[in-house]
């Protein structure tokens, strides 16, 4: 039987419903596509492209949760290794900003003729800067010029026991620039060698002038310079705010080199422009501390100028909200306006990173001493206690620690990326305290003995290196970052007569030699970002993402420390080789760039003049050719960004203030 009725009626209603839904959909489509194609603001501008790029940068995990690593690991690939490499790449990307993202073709176009040293800069087709940028640059340049005529306070070296008072002097120029630690030349060796040394110092000073002049011309007040495009480099670890990173980071090097006018320009900019107030920047606690707080503290120690103490405290106060965690282990990032802090999404389940939260001690301890406010020291003492008391697998410190639970993340250990400067700050906290912070020295010795036992190895041809360790498995690879440890082991040996002394010195010299090998095995004579050891290769990068050189200082830092401790001429020879290589491959008419591949005869440049090139690379090279009386190692200890801090009880520039009640309003 054929029946109509309710069912038939229902069927008619469906058709109307379908029509309505269809209409709604058509309207929606019209609105969406109309929005994209018809509204001039969206189509004409680059907003769609920019949004797309943001998504691209943020990565596919926005849409798709990361799959379990093991499921996607290629055959023979340890999933733990893979995960860590991704993390390291994230970290490097954060450091380098977008320079690694640029396609080689675009790079080649940007670099143009600059592939080889000495090529004609006039042919570089730099993108035309926007008119507004031009105007702003012009204004900044004019301001910088004015600054040359602005009087700066004339500061004298403090008398013994002085707590940092400002005084005047009859000969301002000399007084401002004269190194408080005395000398600067090589007065004690009046022979022909001395003349060569002086020439070399002058050469490195000229490199600093070149780097500074071009930064001033094209990026003044911005964070870093892009020498090929002759523009500021924004983004990367400093965010997009104009914090003058190169000024703050490079100023103490100018001071040490006696570059008076440049020093005045920088000081004036800091006084008039540098502030973190009223900006909403998401800053790396670690990078901001080592470069900005560290830089200001050194300038304060050198000059006694209260400006630098105020600025150091201002910056540190902005970082304090990051310490508000259940354990007191700070988060990696903090927003300067809201105080909201967080960790990197990629760091082992929301962990903080050892090399970051473990590299605050020198600056915070010294800040407490010069301000009389114990708060800063208390914050880093809390970190110390957590690390002292926590169980350490085989005596080693993993790179990740969860600030909420106080538990380790993945058991990856490294003296390179993610671990490095924690170990550095253990030894240096002890040195800075005038060798009274015995807890720090003990922690240093325990950690370094474990590292020598579990991670330091010798290659078949006798090269000493320090591997990474991942869940009991050694990865026979060393980061360029780990090259600082040659100096660290040697400094540990030279400062205490204990049963580890000889071994420390042997390992320190061995690592420094290996890092030098990684340089001289490359046609550019500059070392790669990471190098490996296997039956087939030694001290050589294998993967394309390990072959770049970004003007890093660590190898030269070890040359400098080893030179001071041994006076073995080879360290100066190696340093000079490096100067020649930097001049040949990294110098451009408008500043210094890193290289994309150190194994090419004429490598492409990366178009970034890192602020640490001025803060560290040129400073260590300059000091390598200076007399031991310039920043003597028994009076000064270098923070991890090469900003020298005075040693308590041994250095009249310590400028300790009387202790006051905590006054910080930022905790
Ligand atoms: C610097 O900012 C510091 O030396 C830091 O500890 C590691 N990385 C860079 C230089 O390579």
């Amino acid at each position: 039987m054929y029946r109509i009725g309710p069912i038939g009626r229902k069927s008619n209603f469906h058709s109307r419903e379908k029509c309505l839904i269809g209409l709604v959909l058509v309207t929606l489509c019209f609105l969406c596509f109309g929005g994209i194609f018809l509204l001039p603001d969206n189509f004409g501008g680059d907003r769609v492209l920019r949004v797309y790029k943001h998504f691209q940068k943020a990565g596919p995990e926005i849409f798709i949760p990361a799959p379990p690593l093991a499921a996607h690991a290629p055959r023979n690939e340890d999933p733990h290794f893979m995960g860590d490499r991704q993390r390291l790449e994230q970290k490097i990307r954060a450091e380098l900003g977008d320079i690694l993202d640029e396609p080689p073709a675009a790079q080649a176009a940007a670099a143009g003729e600059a592939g080889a040293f000495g090529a004609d800069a006039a042919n570089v087709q730099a993108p035309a800067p926007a008119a507004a940028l031009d105007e702003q640059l012009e204004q900044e340049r004019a301001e910088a010029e004015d600054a040359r005529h602005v009087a700066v306070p004339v500061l004298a070296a403090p008398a013994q026991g002085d707590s940092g008072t400002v005084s005047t002097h009859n000969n301002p120029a000399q007084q401002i620039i004269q190194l408080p630690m005395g000398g600067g030349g090589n007065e004690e060796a009046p022979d022909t060698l001395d003349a060569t040394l002086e020439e070399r110092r002058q050469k490195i000073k000229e490199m600093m002038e070149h780097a500074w002049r071009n930064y001033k011309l094209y990026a003044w007040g911005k964070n870093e310079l892009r020498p090929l495009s002759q523009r500021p480099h924004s983004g990367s670890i400093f965010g997009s705010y104009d914090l003058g990173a190169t000024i703050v980071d490079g100023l103490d090097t100018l001071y040490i080199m006696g570059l008076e006018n440049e020093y005045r320009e920088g000081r004036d900019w800091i006084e008039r422009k540098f502030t973190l107030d009223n900006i909403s920047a998401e800053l790396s606690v670690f990078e901001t501390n080592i470069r900005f707080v560290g830089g200001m503290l050194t300038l304060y120690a050198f000059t006694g100028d209260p400006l630098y103490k105020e600025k150091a405290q201002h910056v540190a106060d902005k970082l304090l909200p990051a310490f508000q965690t259940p354990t007191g282990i700070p988060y990696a990032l903090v927003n300067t306006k809201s105080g909201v802090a967080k960790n990197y999404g990629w760091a082992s389940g929301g962990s903080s990173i050892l090399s970051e939260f473990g590299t605050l001690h020198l600056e915070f301890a010294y800040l407490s001493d010069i301000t009389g406010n114990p708060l800063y020291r208390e914050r880093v003492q809390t970190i110390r206690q957590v690390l002292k008391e926590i169980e350490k697998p085989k005596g080693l410190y993993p790179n990740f620690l969860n600030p909420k639970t106080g538990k380790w993340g993945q058991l990856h250990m490294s003296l390179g990326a993610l671990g490095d400067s924690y170990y550095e700050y253990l030894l240096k906290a002890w040195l800075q305290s005038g060798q009274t912070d015995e807890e720090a020295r003990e922690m240093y010795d325990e950690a370094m003995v474990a590292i020598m036992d579990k991670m330091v190895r010798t290659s078949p041809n006798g090269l000493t290196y320090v591997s990474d360790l991942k869940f009991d498995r050694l990865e026979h690879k060393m980061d360029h970052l780990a090259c600082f440890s040659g100096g660290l082991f040697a400094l540990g040996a030279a400062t205490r007569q204990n049963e580890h002394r000889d071994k420390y010195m042997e390992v320190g010299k061995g690592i420094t030699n290996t890092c030098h090998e990684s340089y001289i095995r490359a046609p550019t004579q500059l070392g790669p970002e990471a190098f490996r050891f296997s039956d087939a290769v030694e001290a050589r990068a294998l993967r394309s993402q390990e072959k770049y050189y970004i003007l890093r200082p660590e190898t030269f830092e070890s040359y400098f420390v080893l030179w001071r401790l041994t006076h073995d001429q080879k360290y100066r020879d190696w340093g000079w080789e490096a100067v020649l290589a930097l001049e040949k491959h990294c110098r451009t008419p408008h500043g210094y760039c890193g290289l994309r591949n150190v194994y090419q005869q004429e490598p492409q440049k990366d178009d970034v003049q890192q602020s640490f090139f001025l803060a560290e690379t040129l400073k260590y090279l300059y000091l390598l050719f200076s007399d031991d009386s310039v920043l003597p190692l028994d009076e000064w200890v270098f923070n991890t960004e090469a900003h020298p801090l005075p040693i308590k009880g041994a250095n009249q520039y310590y400028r300790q203030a009387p202790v006051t009640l905590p006054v910080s309003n930022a905790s």
Side-chain angles (χ1 to χ4, degrees), residues 393-409:
K394 296 182 182 142
L396 296 165
Y397 292 84
N399 294 336
F400 302 106
L401 184 66
N402 190 307
K404 291 184 182 153
T405 63
K407 297 205 182 319
W408 296 119

Side-chain angles (χ1 to χ4, degrees), residues 151-159 162 164-180 255 263-264 267 299-309 653 655:
V152 296
V154 178
L155 303 166
D162 184 8
T165 49
V166 178
S167 60
T168 54
H169 192 276
N170 289 339
N171 187 345
Q174 264 188 8
Q175 190 58 44
I176 291 167
I177 298 304
Q178 187 182 36
L179 280 179
Y255 189 94
Y263 168 75
R264 282 170 184 263
R267 187 214 173 270
L299 292 162
Y300 178 65
F302 279 2
T303 65
D305 187 338
L307 166 76
Y308 298 122
K309 179 165 70 171
Y653 298 91
R655 302 178 194 279

Side-chain angles (χ1 to χ4, degrees), residues 286-287 290-291 481 552-554 612 616 640-641:
F286 161 75
E287 298 288 359
I290 65 170
R291 300 187 198 218
L481 288 167
R552 286 202 191 276
E554 292 77 13
F612 56 66
E616 299 191 72
T640 196
E641 188 76 3

Side-chain angles (χ1 to χ4, degrees), residues 225-246:
L225 165 69
R226 283 186 175 275
L228 298 180
S229 8
Q230 294 143 56
R231 278 170 170 263
H233 175 227
S234 40
S236 82
I237 54 172
F238 309 109
S240 49
Y241 287 91
D242 300 341
L243 303 179
T246 297

